[in-house]
Amino acid sequence: MAEAKADYLGQLNPPQKEGVVNVEGPCMIIAGAGSGKTRVLTFRIAHLIHEHHVDPFNIMALTFTNKAAREMQHRIESVAGGEAKNLWMGTFHSVFARVLRAEAGKIGYSSSFTIYDTDDSKSLIKQLIKESNLDDKLYKPNIVFNRISGAKNRLISWEEYQNDPVYLEDDIQNMRPDMGRLYKAYAKRCFAADAMDFDDLLFNTNKLFREHPEVLNKYQQRFHYVMIDEFQDTNLSQYLIARRLAAVRQNICVVGDDAQSIYAFRGADIRNILNFEKDYPDLKVIRMEQNYRSTQTIVNAANSVINKNTAQLKKSVWTDNQEGELIELIKATSDNEEGRLVASAIFQTKMQSHASEKEFAVLYRTNSQSRAIEEALRRNDIRYRVIGGVSFYQRKEIKDLLAYFRYVVNPNDEVSMRRIINLPKRGIGPGTIDKMVVAANEEGKSLWEVMETAVSYVGNRGGTQVQNFVTLIKALRVTDEKKDAYDTASQIAKTSGLLKELYDDKTIEGMNRYENTQELLNAIKEFTDNPEREDKSLGAFLQDVALLTDEDRNNKTDEAIALMTIHMAKGLEFSYVFIVGLEEDLFPSQMMLSSRADLEEERRLFYVAITRAKQKIFMSYALNRYRYGRLKNCERSRFLEEIAPQFIKVNRRFSSKKPASPSVNYVTKNFISSIKKENSTKKFSTQINHTPGTDFEPSDTSKLEKGMKVEHPKFGFGVVTNIDKQGFGKKASVDFEKAGKKTLLLSFAKLRILDE
């Protein structure tokens, strides 16, 4: 037994060993990136079984993925033997579904209750909206579902929701006063159906433990040790369950890293880890600060960034690894060129380092950014795979819009017609389509001909809707004959109703889908702006897309470059990491600049991106980026300024030396050039640490005058020294306290006037 003990304890450094052997009482292990937290959790459980002879039935270990649970259980078995199979280990939802199966009768459910997935829940909500005669444009199932989910994660029942003035006022402001009524109807219908959704599994576990102390006591006596992985990602509901279970023996161990808390939009509450010591005054805190993953340069650069956050548990992550190469910065004139330069850098690094494609990852803030990267990789015959989602051109919203494009170009395309004829909904069902197909076959006509006189085949109700659809397509075909690809595509997106439907959905998923459609339009704009293209029709663009999305070229094996959002990259590691799109309003996201808490979460996201890399990091940004069909001038991300200058360098080989895109007119280019000259004092060594207060709100700059004091969200406080209304746009010269003199285009600048 002593030999077995040495087998695993001998593999640990002192803090890791401390985390394994200190098994009694409350313990928090702050595990920095790459510090071996999975090994510590695994060996800690094995140590309890192997050395302390704890029955595995008395150990609960909670993770955030089933994959992590399976991997840990396999490792524990290799140390502690087959008894490890008896651990209560898994995700919060899987473990407490097991508890609820045994105790469901206490709260009115049967032990065979159904678990609704997200689609089931939204389908029920959709039916309830219909039954309630509510406007489905205001009460979208996605919006209602997310509202109910958020309330449950905060342990707000439908009764409490309906009596909470804050929720009620918020719903009235959002023109959805019946949200509480829908929550009640949804909860009642689920209960009547003997069903729980995913949020109910946690909500009802809390209810069970709160209302039935004898049940809580039963599980408190069963579980002598409670361990939680990725503790920074827990929400209130999850934390209260764990705290209740550990209340008797206080043997609770949480492992996490506050610097990697990036899921607030899913309900994660960083305060759980930041304030853990307040709940447990006798808490033992163990800091695992040695990074085994990355070079010294990467570790030190990451530290220099995350140290800017105020809400954090202090630690000093370090490594004994080699110093490594500097972070290389790639500057591109446009997002399209950014893709080309990134692809070139990947190819050359791969050749020079003899690296395989699976050692590379390209990380971005939003899914829509993948388009330019994907196209560049395809053109260079570099294999890639999109993690956590489908390829850009395979996403539903993109396929829907492309189907409209194809049908306008070719109205005999039955596959495209079937996809779009009732999208958005027009009251044309599959039965109507089937009748028209039969008629076309029987009379030897094309389906399009039958659709032109659909009333005579399927009756007035469905036929009128079909003929209205035909009229829409005919009008768009006229546009296609006269306009280029971008003008036609924009008209289709607007007239079809698809763009409005996506725009009206203000959920995170809805905004991502809308952003993806805008990115498709951006791609078409780049296509038509290219002076080397002779044929700028929509048909020519569709042919290009068809070649780019050839599945035979998109090899989906593991031997491929990984493309993913930074959120999806958490927990992964790669030898070479490319972080793209480092521009203000993109990363950090413009939706995350309203408060310090939001900005600090964005900074943690940047920290996660940096710490995915083992050997080398490339970062890139574009001077201009197509957004919403317009080429916009971009400002380099503040996060680049927060990296200590000794760890970063501009990559001259891969950075663009060309002027701005040809679609930018001469006046614009000269204005941008003058701004660059006036701002030439800006260097990477400049440390601009300004973070706006929670009350920051840009002012109407039409009132701006010389001598006024202003605040900029990045540059800080300054005084206006000059207002220039000549030339391209109105601009202001501002002397900032820390950033020095800057010239800002007021149509883009976000200035708060302090003298108002």
Side-chain angles (χ1 to χ4, degrees), residues 189-200:
R189 191 72 67 88
C190 284
F191 185 75
D194 195 26
M196 298 187 201
D197 63 21
F198 269 59
D199 296 313
D200 284 329

Side-chain angles (χ1 to χ4, degrees), residues 252-445:
I252 182 170
C253 175
V254 300
V255 183
D257 181 8
D258 59 293
Q260 297 185 63
S261 178
I262 58 174
Y263 293 121
F265 66 92
R266 293 182 187 170
D269 192 340
I270 192 175
R271 291 174 298 183
N272 289 349
I273 191 168
L274 294 179
N275 300 330
F276 191 63
E277 194 165 4
K278 293 180 181 177
D279 290 334
Y280 296 95
D282 298 329
L283 181 70
K284 183 172 185 60
V285 179
I286 298 169
R287 287 177 168 80
M288 288 168 36
E289 299 171 317
Q290 183 174 0
N291 181 301
Y292 291 93
R293 175 188 300 155
S294 308
T295 65
Q296 291 180 22
T297 295
I298 292 170
V299 169
N300 292 335
N303 286 342
S304 69
V305 169
I306 202 62
N307 285 341
K308 305 295 188 300
N309 272 7
T310 56
Q312 63 174 304
L313 299 171
K314 287 295 183 182
K315 58 184 175 297
S316 280
V317 180
W318 59 279
T319 183
D320 271 341
N321 293 343
Q322 62 183 357
E323 183 177 351
E325 298 181 66
L326 294 178
I327 295 170
E328 295 197 25
L329 184 64
I330 298 172
K331 179 178 71 174
T333 57
S334 68
D335 49 346
N336 203 39
E337 189 188 42
E338 179 185 44
R340 182 180 65 79
L341 294 173
V342 166
S344 297
I346 288 174
F347 180 80
Q348 293 209 19
T349 304
K350 182 175 177 290
M351 294 298 102
Q352 291 170 358
S353 304
H354 305 289
S356 64
E357 287 165 332
K358 67 181 179 182
E359 294 181 74
F360 291 81
V362 180
L363 309 181
Y364 34 79
R365 180 62 180 83
T366 65
N367 278 309
S368 63
Q369 292 172 256
S370 76
R371 192 265 310 166
I373 305 296
E374 287 187 62
E375 291 182 357
L377 292 175
R378 286 191 181 103
R379 291 191 181 104
N380 284 273
D381 286 319
I382 298 174
R383 289 173 295 182
Y384 72 89
R385 56 196 176 106
V386 179
I387 309 297
V390 292
S391 172
F392 181 83
Y393 288 106
Q394 294 300 311
R395 291 170 183 149
K396 180 186 180 301
E397 61 273 18
I398 300 304
K399 290 174 73 72
D400 290 342
L401 201 46
L402 286 174
Y404 262 102
F405 297 165
R406 286 196 302 267
Y407 197 58
V408 168
V409 172
N410 176 18
N412 291 314
D413 183 346
E414 182 181 338
V415 172
S416 293
M417 182 276 291
R418 283 184 175 273
R419 186 179 187 100
I420 66 172
I421 193 170
N422 202 37
L423 188 71
K425 293 190 181 302
R426 299 183 176 89
I428 304 173
T432 299
I433 299 171
D434 291 340
K435 286 180 184 177
M436 293 189 297
V437 170
V438 169
N441 290 336
E442 288 179 348
E443 297 189 16
K445 293 182 177 181

Side-chain angles (χ1 to χ4, degrees), residues 579-605:
I579 308 171
V580 301
L582 280 162
E583 299 139 32
E584 286 292 299
D585 293 340
L586 185 56
F587 196 17
S589 166
Q590 62 183 354
M591 294 186 293
M592 299 293 283
L593 296 176
S594 60
S595 70
R596 181 180 294 278
D598 285 346
L599 179 60
E600 294 201 351
E601 172 135 338
E602 284 290 281
R603 188 176 287 115
R604 291 194 295 271
L605 190 61

Side-chain angles (χ1 to χ4, degrees), residues 464-737:
T464 301
Q465 295 298 331
V466 171
Q467 289 180 199
N468 289 341
F469 173 73
V470 168
T471 301
L472 168 67
I473 298 300
K474 284 182 175 179
L476 292 171
R477 283 177 60 77
V478 172
T479 302
D480 183 44
E481 292 171 1
K482 298 178 179 179
K483 303 287 187 178
D484 65 21
Y486 178 71
D487 289 338
T488 303
S490 297
Q491 186 66 22
I492 292 171
K494 293 174 186 174
T495 310
S496 67
L498 281 184
L499 210 58
K500 184 179 186 305
E501 185 173 74
L502 291 172
Y503 180 79
D504 288 342
D505 186 355
K506 298 303 182 184
T507 65
I508 291 173
E509 296 87 351
M511 288 187 286
N512 280 338
R513 285 193 288 269
Y514 178 75
E515 197 166 330
N516 287 337
T517 59
Q518 291 297 330
E519 188 64 15
L520 176 60
L521 295 176
N522 291 344
I524 301 173
K525 182 65 172 173
E526 288 179 5
F527 175 88
T528 56
D529 281 350
N530 189 339
E532 297 178 4
R533 290 194 179 276
E534 294 182 7
D535 187 351
K536 300 185 179 184
S537 68
L538 187 58
F541 174 78
L542 288 171
Q543 178 174 297
D544 268 21
V545 169
L547 294 173
L548 285 173
T549 56
D550 184 351
E551 290 186 8
D552 292 335
R553 296 182 63 195
N554 188 6
N555 192 316
K556 296 186 183 298
T557 65
D558 286 341
E559 188 57 45
I561 308 291
L563 272 61
M564 70 190 90
T565 64
I566 303 167
H567 283 100
M568 288 300 304
K570 188 167 174 291
L572 303 177
E573 59 181 43
F574 302 89
S575 295
Y576 305 95
V577 170
F578 288 74
I579 308 171
V580 301
L582 280 162
E583 299 139 32
E584 286 292 299
D585 293 340
L586 185 56
F587 196 17
S589 166
Q590 62 183 354
M591 294 186 293
M592 299 293 283
L593 296 176
S594 60
S595 70
R596 181 180 294 278
D598 285 346
L599 179 60
E600 294 201 351
E601 172 135 338
E602 284 290 281
R603 188 176 287 115
R604 291 194 295 271
L605 190 61
F606 187 45
Y607 175 83
V608 166
I610 295 173
T611 54
R612 298 312 92 200
K614 295 192 285 187
Q615 295 183 36
K616 181 74 179 284
I617 297 177
F618 293 81
M619 297 181 180
S620 65
Y621 68 98
L623 298 175
N624 303 283
R625 185 175 293 273
Y626 274 97
R627 301 199 76 180
Y628 309 106
R630 295 177 58 194
L631 190 68
K632 297 188 69 174
N633 182 240
C634 301
E635 182 184 352
R636 192 171 60 195
S637 171
R638 70 187 73 190
F639 292 154
L640 289 172
E641 309 293 345
E642 294 179 353
I643 300 173
Q646 64 267 33
F647 304 125
I648 192 168
K649 69 175 182 180
V650 176
N651 188 314
R652 304 293 178 189
R653 180 177 48 171
F654 292 122
S655 288
S656 174
K657 301 176 181 64
K658 297 189 298 183
S661 167
S663 64
V664 184
N665 64 40
Y666 178 81
V667 177
T668 305
K669 287 190 288 183
N670 277 275
F671 172 77
I672 293 172
S673 176
S674 70
I675 294 294
K676 286 181 183 175
K677 285 181 181 179
E678 292 181 50
N679 292 346
S680 61
T681 56
K682 183 179 182 181
K683 303 293 182 184
F684 280 103
S685 58
T686 303
Q687 294 295 304
I688 305 171
N689 301 328
H690 183 73
T691 302
T694 56
D695 62 340
F696 182 88
E697 185 175 343
S699 303
D700 177 4
T701 52
S702 64
K703 305 175 183 178
L704 196 66
E705 296 178 4
K706 182 179 178 180
M708 281 186 168
K709 294 180 181 179
V710 295
E711 181 185 10
H712 187 276
K714 177 179 177 183
F715 301 134
F717 300 101
V719 177
V720 178
T721 58
N722 188 48
I723 301 288
D724 184 0
K725 300 181 181 179
Q726 303 299 316
F728 181 75
K730 183 178 178 182
K731 55 184 178 178
S733 297
V734 183
D735 189 358
F736 291 100
E737 294 174 1

